[in-house]
Amino acid sequence: MANSLIIGQYVPTDSLVHRLDPRTKIIIIFLFVIFIFFANNALSYGWLALFAVASALATKIKLKFIARGLTPVWFLIIFTFILHLFVTREGPVLFEIIGLPIYSGAIIQGFAISLRFFLLILVTSLMTLTTTPIEITDAIESLLHPLKKIKFPVHELALMMSISLRFIPTLMQETEKISKAQASRGVDFKTGPIKDRIHAVVPLLVPLFVSAFKRAEELAMAMEARGYQGGEGRTKLRELTIAKLDWIAFLSFSCVLIGLFLLRQ
Amino acid sequence: MNSDQVEFRNVSFRYNDEQPWVLNNVSFSIKSDEWVAIIGHNGSGKSTIAKLINGLIFPDQGEIFVNGIKVTADTVWDVRKQVGMVFQNPDNQFVGTTVKDDVAFGLENRGVERSEMIKRINASLAAVRMSDYIMHEPHRLSGGQKQRVAIAGVLAVQPHLIILDEATAMLDPKGRTEILTTVYDVKQNHQLNLITITHDLNEIIHADRVIVMNNGEIWTETSPRALFMEEEGLREIGLDIPFIAKLANELNKQSLTLTKQPINQKELLDELWTFHLNK
Amino acid sequence: MDISFKQVSYIYQPNSPFEHQALKEIDFSIKSGTFVAIVGHTGSGKSTLIQHLNGLIRPTKGEINIGDFTLKANEKTANIKDLRRQVGVVFQYPEHQLFEETIEKDIGFGPKNFGVSDEEIKQRIPQVLEAVNLSPELLSRSPFDLSGGQMRRVAIAGVLAMEPRVLVLDEPTAGLDPKGQQEIMDMFKELHTRKQLTTILVTHSMEDALKYADYVIILDHGQKYMEGTPAEVFVQKEALQRVQLDMPEIIQFIQSFEQRFGLTLRYKGQSIEGLAQEINQLLKEEVRADG
């Protein structure tokens, strides 16, 4: 299941969505997340769903892949639906299930909430599917820039994030290597009672921490040797530029929002 | 003006008061444009020298000068502008998420303009023959390739001095050869000082001079060729000379006297050929 | 223990875009008590191969026999723990696996997992310490206080304390200085002989393969490329060049010498001293014959 979950995965294609400035994507998604709560009838929900599906199509990633990747989320959505079915008590009773009355309002409410939930997840996954983690980091750094005035360590935060991203694969390899070495010394990670298995993690975690600290120390030294002295006076290779395409995206999204307010009751 | 690029004057260093000296009264100097190899067994103090040169640590006694500037806490950023370092572990010095970003790191730190940055990144990646990998992520590169990127990162900031601190120790033979050829090319094509730190005597043959460290002191300072005659002494301090040198020494011992100490296979065969003709 | 690989293939992440065949129809057998060197470039499949030896991974196709144990695709090996006790693996940079508070505990960790009694472990520890040349005074110290070379020795002692019948060594000398390298390799060779082990050494060093191994297997792109005694394998200059491997230096020199002088020298396991004597003699005879 872990492999099929696509949230957080990046899939490279040559779509326009990929080419958008990551800040554009973050802002649009942020607004979408807020304005979805303004939808209050079938038409307005349909309108936002249309936008979400159109965006998904525009990424040029196979819809089947996205749908399959959201499988684990379906359970949550269905669960939400069922919960609402039994809890909401609005409108006339339509029928009963195992003695519990189901109200018409519950079906509508359950449907609306599940749809909202689904759209939120779909749109945010589109963000990570089309934007590399480092682009997201750059975007966050840039969007948080004004906070520098109140001494918020924006540059340090961004650097921390990008270094973490850089070292994820390295530490994954390391974990595999150490777990194999300990398995060769008779540690059993896979069978036995939970208590023993938790115990088996110690010989894995200690070396992993030791090595992570050593790496951090060496990395800090290497960075210093390469002249790193904090964000002051630094230039940047990675540059974010708002292009024509981004303005078009903002314009289109404004139309979506205007449509939303025209269609809602 | 001092023409010495690096100078150590009676330098001693230890990590704390209870521990023995890592370096004990070490003095040497390295001239402009010179390639010096520093060798010694693990723990002989050779890597400490590298860290002292660009002020990652400071001496307890004595003075260090880099291009005429005394290395102190106040001058350390000026010194680091002139010194580029490549460390042992290819993973733990790769800062960027891609090759391009990593080479840019040093340039960004120095506030180099973006357009100039791009020019220098391309040029230095070309110099280490890694241009085809510009967008690659580090985990898709071999150890040797990562080290070449590290060298490119150093070249990009155009230092006067490059220090390779056991840069080949964690590589396979292919990676090691890659780095040695790259370093040789770089030295041929750029005006710079080079310090290579290693325990492998196969890696020192192109150096102009060798400083041999043992237990924190300079054991000897000589040419690679002359050093290869010190087989016994080197073995005692945990070092091993290349096969060709050993064979040459053995031949000499058996009164097949060679006119000079050969440094590679071709030279030894030539020597034997001369011997063969002259008899 | 006798070891045999029959048509062994291994595929990483099959049926995914990342599918990668690491081993392809590997066939060989090793007699108990042999010192085998497995040689090849990074990515040739060496690491994948040795992970089969103690059942860390199972073949995708084919069958492996190690003593009485059998490893097959889709078939769980019953007593895998028993196999792991008998096949000790020293991984690359084994010092990264140290984690206990004291050296004594870390050395005892493997045997303890395999159910060896505390008294027995107490008896084994001085023996393995002596083998790796570490002082017993260190036992109560933390392994993280030691130098890199000493940590390596502790990690190796931890594997030896399991008293394995088969010893698998994945580049055990990487990163050590020349003296450390030689000491470690000499120690393994001595143990191999004294304890009649079957030893499998993965190495990049042709010199070590030539010096320590009875038998050499060369891998290339997941396939077996050559096998034989070092003297058979390492004289085949063209075949080695095709997979970008070097000959050991002594053989390289002998072949160049023969070519240059048109004389026969032949590699027959001679020492450098022996080789120097032969050259001396050959050249002096030549001179006499010419004169």
Side-chain angles (χ1 to χ4, degrees):
Chain A
M1 200 135 113
N3 281 334
S4 63
L5 188 65
I6 54 162
I7 296 171
Q9 256 190 58
Y10 173 71
V11 180
T13 72
D14 61 346
S15 83
L16 292 176
V17 184
H18 281 76
R19 269 192 275 152
L20 281 176
D21 187 291
R23 288 171 297 183
T24 310
K25 286 187 261 188
I26 288 187
I27 292 170
I28 288 179
I29 285 163
F30 185 68
L31 292 176
F32 184 88
V33 168
I34 291 170
F35 282 100
I36 197 166
F37 289 94
F38 285 83
N40 58 2
N41 62 356
L43 268 177
S44 52
Y45 268 113
W47 175 244
L48 291 182
L50 188 73
F51 165 74
V53 173
S55 313
L57 281 172
T59 63
K60 292 196 185 172
I61 299 168
K62 284 199 185 103
L63 283 187
K64 225 182 177 176
F65 178 82
I66 300 176
R68 205 173 24 168
L70 292 176
T71 323
V73 182
W74 286 121
F75 293 105
L76 272 175
I77 291 169
I78 291 166
F79 179 73
T80 315
F81 182 72
I82 293 172
L83 199 72
H84 273 276
L85 222 50
F86 291 114
V87 174
T88 314
R89 289 156 191 271
E90 273 170 36
V93 177
L94 289 181
F95 51 87
E96 284 187 7
I97 298 176
I98 41 168
L100 289 166
I102 300 294
Y103 299 83
S104 72
I107 293 187
I108 295 168
Q109 185 85 349
F111 194 75
I113 304 269
S114 312
L115 180 66
R116 189 192 291 163
F117 192 44
F118 170 73
L119 291 180
L120 286 177
I121 292 183
L122 175 64
V123 171
T124 34
S125 342
L126 290 183
M127 169 89 199
T128 53
L129 281 168
T130 62
T131 323
T132 58
I134 190 71
E135 280 178 319
I136 297 178
T137 307
D138 289 340
I140 291 174
E141 181 177 10
S142 163
L143 291 171
L144 293 183
H145 195 77
L147 293 183
K148 257 193 169 162
K149 287 211 179 77
I150 57 161
K151 298 258 162 69
F152 185 79
V154 179
H155 161 76
E156 284 75 8
L157 184 77
L159 185 76
M160 222 166 72
M161 279 172 69
S162 90
I163 287 176
S164 312
L165 292 171
R166 142 78 187 93
F167 275 93
I168 286 171
T170 312
L171 289 176
M172 300 258 277
Q173 279 170 9
E174 183 111 353
T175 310
E176 198 190 320
K177 204 194 105 173
I178 295 171
S179 70
K180 279 183 172 161
Q182 304 301 30
S184 303
R185 293 211 283 168
V187 177
D188 192 345
F189 295 105
K190 286 180 186 146
T191 56
I194 290 287
K195 197 176 138 259
D196 287 5
R197 272 195 265 175
I198 291 172
H199 213 68
V201 175
V202 176
L204 178 61
L205 282 186
V206 174
L208 208 56
F209 272 105
V210 170
S211 119
F213 277 117
K214 188 163 175 262
R215 283 184 195 282
E217 208 173 293
E218 286 185 16
L219 187 73
M221 188 173 274
M223 285 171 64
E224 220 182 295
R226 292 173 72 178
Y228 178 75
Q229 5 172 9
E232 221 44 54
R234 259 186 128 234
T235 44
K236 289 202 71 177
L237 174 70
R238 295 185 161 279
E239 218 174 39
L240 298 175
T241 39
I242 298 290
K244 214 160 141 198
L245 188 64
D246 296 287
W247 291 118
I248 295 171
F250 280 127
L251 205 68
S252 322
F253 187 66
S254 307
C255 296
V256 171
L257 291 186
I258 292 167
L260 172 70
F261 281 97
L262 292 177
L263 291 170
R264 77 190 283 263
Q265 281 163 347
Chain B
M1 216 13 231
N2 200 333
S3 78
D4 287 341
Q5 180 60 229
V6 177
E7 196 188 348
F8 271 52
R9 284 187 202 155
N10 309 98
V11 172
S12 296
F13 175 83
R14 58 181 165 188
Y15 283 94
N16 61 52
D17 292 346
E18 282 113 62
Q19 277 175 349
W21 293 104
V22 183
L23 284 188
N24 193 0
N25 197 18
V26 169
S27 302
F28 64 88
S29 60
I30 295 172
K31 282 187 272 302
S32 276
D33 223 23
E34 203 179 12
W35 177 348
V36 174
I38 301 179
I39 62 168
H41 60 83
N42 289 353
S44 60
K46 58 190 192 302
S47 286
T48 307
I49 293 181
K51 286 177 195 148
L52 284 165
I53 291 176
N54 75 346
L56 290 168
I57 48 179
F58 297 100
D60 294 309
Q61 288 163 24
E63 293 171 318
I64 298 163
F65 295 87
V66 174
N67 204 10
I69 310 171
K70 184 175 166 186
V71 184
T72 64
D74 297 329
T75 59
V76 71
W77 296 107
D78 296 322
V79 169
R80 284 184 195 155
K81 275 183 192 152
Q82 317 209 15
V83 183
M85 270 184 91
V86 179
F87 297 89
Q88 182 178 16
N89 192 320
D91 263 316
N92 299 354
Q93 55 187 315
F94 206 111
V95 187
T97 41
T98 66
V99 166
K100 189 173 156 185
D101 288 306
D102 189 63
V103 178
F105 184 73
L107 298 167
E108 293 176 327
N109 292 337
R110 283 164 177 76
V112 175
E113 287 296 318
R114 191 167 180 277
S115 54
E116 171 71 12
M117 228 190 281
I118 292 165
K119 255 188 255 162
R120 291 214 213 160
I121 292 170
N122 291 334
S124 52
L125 281 176
V128 300
R129 276 173 269 117
M130 283 295 288
S131 304
D132 295 344
Y133 298 87
I134 187 157
M135 292 312 288
H136 272 233
E137 291 149 359
H139 63 270
R140 288 164 61 208
L141 301 176
S142 71
Q145 289 172 329
K146 278 180 221 168
Q147 290 300 65
R148 270 148 71 193
V149 173
I151 295 175
V154 161
L155 284 178
V157 298
Q158 302 173 341
H160 296 290
L161 167 67
I162 293 183
I163 305 174
L164 281 91
D165 186 2
E166 300 197 59
T168 61
M170 292 181 74
L171 305 181
D172 61 9
K174 216 167 158 182
R176 202 166 293 169
T177 318
E178 274 171 31
I179 296 304
L180 293 177
T181 356
T182 306
V183 169
Y184 187 73
D185 283 358
V186 164
K187 178 73 183 126
Q188 297 291 308
N189 301 324
H190 295 72
Q191 274 266 325
L192 46 81
N193 268 68
L194 191 59
I195 297 180
T196 51
I197 295 170
T198 175
H199 56 230
D200 187 347
L201 271 73
N202 290 300
E203 297 183 5
I204 65 166
I205 39 182
H206 295 299
D208 301 312
R209 202 149 52 91
V210 193
I211 296 174
V212 185
M213 297 298 298
N214 183 41
N215 294 330
E217 290 174 14
I218 294 183
W219 186 73
T220 186
E221 225 184 304
T222 177
S223 72
R225 205 181 284 282
L227 185 67
F228 287 164
M229 291 192 278
E230 312 256 357
E231 187 176 351
E232 282 306 310
L234 286 171
R235 186 176 304 140
E236 273 163 34
I237 61 165
L239 296 171
D240 197 15
I241 59 168
F243 164 79
I244 289 297
K246 278 186 200 160
L247 181 58
N249 292 342
E250 200 56 54
L251 288 165
N252 270 324
K253 239 189 262 172
Q254 296 180 14
S255 72
L256 195 158
T257 318
L258 306 172
T259 52
K260 67 170 190 213
Q261 179 76 17
I263 210 154
N264 54 32
Q265 181 176 293
K266 188 182 168 297
E267 281 191 14
L268 177 56
L269 287 172
D270 287 347
E271 281 289 321
L272 289 173
W273 189 252
T274 324
F275 176 84
H276 174 67
L277 290 180
N278 290 350
K279 266 285 164 90
Chain C
M1 292 201 282
D2 291 337
I3 297 170
S4 75
F5 274 55
K6 291 182 197 123
Q7 292 289 303
V8 171
S9 296
Y10 188 81
I11 300 170
Y12 281 102
Q13 304 186 353
N15 308 318
S16 82
F18 311 102
E19 179 173 309
H20 166 65
Q21 179 151 20
L23 291 180
K24 219 170 169 183
E25 290 157 19
I26 300 271
D27 251 320
F28 64 82
S29 54
I30 297 169
K31 272 245 161 314
S32 185
T34 318
F35 197 123
V36 185
I38 298 181
V39 175
H41 283 297
T42 308
S44 62
K46 292 173 301 183
S47 299
T48 311
L49 191 151
I50 59 165
Q51 286 178 36
H52 284 90
L53 292 170
N54 71 346
L56 287 173
I57 52 179
R58 269 181 293 145
T60 314
K61 262 185 229 148
E63 184 180 322
I64 299 166
N65 292 296
I66 300 155
D68 299 330
F69 301 92
T70 307
L71 291 166
K72 263 190 195 163
N74 312 319
E75 205 176 282
K76 261 212 147 122
T77 312
N79 32 13
I80 197 95
K81 208 159 175 176
D82 218 20
L83 173 67
R84 290 194 184 152
R85 187 178 60 78
Q86 301 200 38
V87 180
V89 185
V90 176
F91 282 94
Q92 227 182 91
Y93 299 102
E95 57 274 24
H96 293 169
Q97 73 196 28
L98 301 176
F99 76 100
E100 285 279 18
E101 298 131 74
T102 68
I103 292 170
E104 184 169 18
K105 275 190 185 171
D106 211 295
I107 295 176
F109 179 70
K112 204 170 173 173
N113 284 326
F114 291 116
V116 178
S117 71
D118 287 354
E119 299 93 81
E120 171 71 20
I121 294 175
K122 277 231 148 56
Q123 280 181 3
R124 288 185 189 180
I125 284 179
Q127 294 170 18
V128 294
L129 274 185
E130 201 194 325
V132 299
N133 196 13
L134 279 176
S135 150
E137 286 159 30
L138 296 173
L139 278 177
S140 56
R141 298 255 299 268
S142 159
F144 300 107
D145 290 343
L146 304 179
S147 74
Q150 284 176 317
M151 281 169 81
R152 173 88 44 108
R153 285 163 198 262
V154 172
I156 291 172
V159 175
L160 296 180
M162 288 155 43
E163 302 206 330
R165 301 299 309 136
V166 177
L167 201 51
V168 180
L169 312 169
D170 188 358
E171 292 187 58
T173 63
L176 298 178
D177 60 22
K179 192 174 162 203
Q181 288 179 13
Q182 195 180 341
E183 280 175 7
I184 296 280
M185 280 316 298
D186 287 349
M187 184 263 300
F188 282 128
K189 181 74 182 181
E190 193 271 331
L191 271 175
H192 170 84
T193 321
R194 182 158 54 87
K195 299 216 155 184
Q196 296 166 317
L197 303 175
T198 309
T199 305
I200 291 153
L201 167 74
V202 169
T203 183
H204 282 300
S205 161
M206 305 298 144
E207 314 302 326
D208 280 352
L210 179 71
K211 189 168 167 194
Y212 299 104
D214 312 314
Y215 202 73
V216 180
I217 296 172
I218 297 183
L219 294 184
D220 182 54
H221 291 101
Q223 284 174 300
K224 185 178 75 186
Y225 180 70
M226 281 166 101
E227 64 178 321
T229 64
E232 286 164 6
V233 168
F234 287 135
V235 293
Q236 302 183 43
K237 189 176 179 180
E238 283 82 21
L240 290 169
Q241 269 172 354
R242 230 171 289 138
V243 291
Q244 295 173 309
L245 289 174
D246 294 323
M247 287 189 289
E249 285 180 300
I250 187 165
I251 299 180
Q252 227 174 78
F253 176 81
I254 289 174
Q255 292 198 355
S256 311
F257 179 89
E258 287 181 325
Q259 217 174 6
R260 179 93 181 246
F261 290 83
L263 299 166
T264 354
L265 200 51
R266 286 279 168 273
Y267 175 70
K268 39 199 174 291
Q270 60 268 66
S271 63
I272 295 181
E273 195 185 344
L275 178 64
Q277 275 167 2
E278 279 180 68
I279 293 172
N280 207 347
Q281 220 164 20
L282 267 177
L283 290 184
K284 281 178 182 157
E285 272 169 23
E286 268 286 286
V287 174
R288 243 174 272 135
D290 290 351

